[in-house]
């Protein structure tokens, strides 16, 4: 069935965990038509059909009428998929972190410029009500962020605290300061073989704001909170996968394609965040302790 006039047909590329969440959220939105989901795994065909979307194995099969897509493939494929979509004239909302490294983000910036498409990165913390209120106000003099869990170090996990926890906070903190930090000090760094399990750093920004940022999966107790000068301790709920967050991101994406300002991160901001993450990782590597099993 064709969408009504004024309803934007949209595709989701990638039907893993994040792609499914995006697709389910889009299916509830009256202003979009979930037209297609791209995933090579034929086993997900029934789940896709239940959402009222067509399944395609590759983006080459997408209908020319589709001009919006959410890229939810693994980060190492973000640039490949987004650049290919840009060549087709498709605007892209890219799942965090907007590429596996800064070079990926740079490639997407170039593709967006050449093909005249809009690309934004879906850093979900910007849609957290607590963080959104901070972003709408003058920045505080000092800010401390704690993202701590108390898992045992020998539990198998993918990724590390830098990319799973700290990256998201680096994005919105830099957006709050409207700049990258002028000084980065790594105060503590611990890793299990090649995987970072705990990092604490201090950032100083051009406006004088100081941020103490700590992410750990081996903390004595769990904590997810902001300590804000003048406001005290603000608990942080994880709303990144909440349906309301995903629909808000999709609506912001549609506005961004009309050149409106939105809370979504630009590729340029994502590039700076990747560079900052790499800077922290280098500094951590110079002084980090390694804990083997």
């Amino acid at each position: 069935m064709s969408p009504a006039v004024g309803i934007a047909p949209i595709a989701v590329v990638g039907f893993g965990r994040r792609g499914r969440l995006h697709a389910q959220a889009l299916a509830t939105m009256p202003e979009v038509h979930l037209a297609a989901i791209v995933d090579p795994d034929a086993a997900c065909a029934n789940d896709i059909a239940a959402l009222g979307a067509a399944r395609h194995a590759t983006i080459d099969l997408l209908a020319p009428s589709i001009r919006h897509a959410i890229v939810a493939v693994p980060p190492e494929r973000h640039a490949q998929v987004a650049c290919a979509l840009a060549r087709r004239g498709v605007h892209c909302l890219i799942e965090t972190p907007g590429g596996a490294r800064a070079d990926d983000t740079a490639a997407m910036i170039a593709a967006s410029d050449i093909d005249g498409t809009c690309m934004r990165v879906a850093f979900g913390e910007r849609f957290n009500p607590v963080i959104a209120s901070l972003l709408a106000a003058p920045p505080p003099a000092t800010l401390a962020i704690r993202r701590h869990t108390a898992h045992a170090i020998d539990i198998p996990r993918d990724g590390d605290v830098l990319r799973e926890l700290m990256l998201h906070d680096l994005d919105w903190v830099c957006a709050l300061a409207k700049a990258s930090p002028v000084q980065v000090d790594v105060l503590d760094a611990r890793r299990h073989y090649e995987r970072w399990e705990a990092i604490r750093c201090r950032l100083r920004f051009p406006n004088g704001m100081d941020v103490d940022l700590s992410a750990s999966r081996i903390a004595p107790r769990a904590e997810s909170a902001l300590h804000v000068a003048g406001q005290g301790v603000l608990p942080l709920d994880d709303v990144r996968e909440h349906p309301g967050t995903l629909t808000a991101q999709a609506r912001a994406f549609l506005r961004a394609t009309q050149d409106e300002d939105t809370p979504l991160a630009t590729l340029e901001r994502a590039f700076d965040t990747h560079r900052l993450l790499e800077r922290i990782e280098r500094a951590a590597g110079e002084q980090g302790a390694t804990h083997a099993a």
Side-chain angles (χ1 to χ4, degrees), residues 69 71 75 77-86 90-123 126 167 171 174-175 180 253 256 260 262-276 278:
V71 177
R77 294 188 58 222
H78 282 177
Q80 173 194 354
V81 171
C83 291
L85 287 167
V90 177
H91 306 298
C92 294
L93 176 61
I94 304 154
E95 250 300 334
T96 54
R101 59 188 66 84
D103 288 348
D104 293 339
T105 314
M108 289 186 280
I109 291 172
S112 178
D113 289 343
I114 290 170
D115 297 301
T117 57
C118 172
M119 291 192 194
R120 293 292 186 270
V121 182
F123 281 103
R126 293 181 179 223
L167 178 72
D171 164 70
C174 290
S180 294
F253 172 46
E260 295 184 29
T262 75
L264 294 168
T266 64
L267 284 174
E268 289 77 10
R269 178 71 267 160
F271 176 82
D272 289 344
T273 300
H274 273 293
R275 293 293 298 270
L276 175 56
E278 292 164 3

Side-chain angles (χ1 to χ4, degrees), residues 7-176:
I7 304 299
I10 190 168
V12 174
V13 184
F15 200 57
R17 185 166 182 271
R18 294 291 296 180
R20 286 173 182 264
L21 291 171
H22 278 290
Q24 289 164 1
L26 291 169
T28 70
M29 296 174 58
E31 62 266 54
V32 301
H33 166 56
L34 180 58
I37 296 173
V38 179
D39 196 288
D41 185 4
C44 63
N46 288 339
D47 290 342
I48 291 174
L51 292 170
R55 175 191 161 267
H56 299 308
T58 73
I59 61 173
D60 296 329
L61 299 175
L62 288 174
S65 60
I66 295 176
R67 287 290 178 262
H68 301 79
I70 294 179
V71 177
V73 296
E76 57 271 17
R77 294 188 58 222
H78 282 177
Q80 173 194 354
V81 171
C83 291
L85 287 167
R87 289 192 292 272
R88 296 171 60 91
V90 177
H91 306 298
C92 294
L93 176 61
I94 304 154
E95 250 300 334
T96 54
R101 59 188 66 84
D103 288 348
D104 293 339
T105 314
M108 289 186 280
I109 291 172
S112 178
D113 289 343
I114 290 170
D115 297 301
T117 57
C118 172
M119 291 192 194
R120 293 292 186 270
V121 182
F123 281 103
E125 291 297 354
R126 293 181 179 223
F127 293 82
N128 185 311
V130 173
I131 292 170
S133 66
L134 283 177
L135 291 171
T142 62
L143 177 66
I145 306 168
R146 299 287 178 263
R147 301 281 192 177
H148 293 173
T149 59
H151 298 304
I153 199 168
D154 58 350
I155 296 176
R157 290 183 293 271
D158 294 327
D160 57 32
V161 295
L162 267 174
R163 288 161 182 81
E164 290 184 0
L165 298 176
M166 188 171 283
L167 178 72
H168 302 273
D169 289 320
L170 291 175
D171 164 70
W172 72 261
V173 164
C174 290
L176 177 64

Side-chain angles (χ1 to χ4, degrees), residues 153-154 190-197 288-293:
I153 199 168
D154 58 350
R190 299 169 184 271
R191 62 185 172 190
H192 181 56
Y193 295 107
E194 296 304 315
R195 187 178 61 210
W196 292 108
E197 298 289 353
T290 299
H291 299 268

Side-chain angles (χ1 to χ4, degrees), residues 192-249:
H192 181 56
Y193 295 107
E194 296 304 315
R195 187 178 61 210
W196 292 108
E197 298 289 353
I199 288 185
R200 182 185 173 199
C201 62
R202 182 170 294 133
L203 312 178
R204 166 65 63 89
F205 289 89
N207 63 358
M209 183 175 73
D210 285 322
V211 177
D212 187 318
L213 184 55
S214 176
S216 174
R217 293 193 299 206
I218 52 173
R221 63 183 180 88
E223 180 184 11
S224 183
L226 297 177
H227 300 249
V228 185
Q231 298 185 45
V233 180
L234 306 177
L236 281 176
D237 295 326
D238 189 351
V239 300
R240 287 175 294 171
E241 295 185 349
H242 190 278
T245 299
L246 300 176
T247 55
Q249 288 178 338

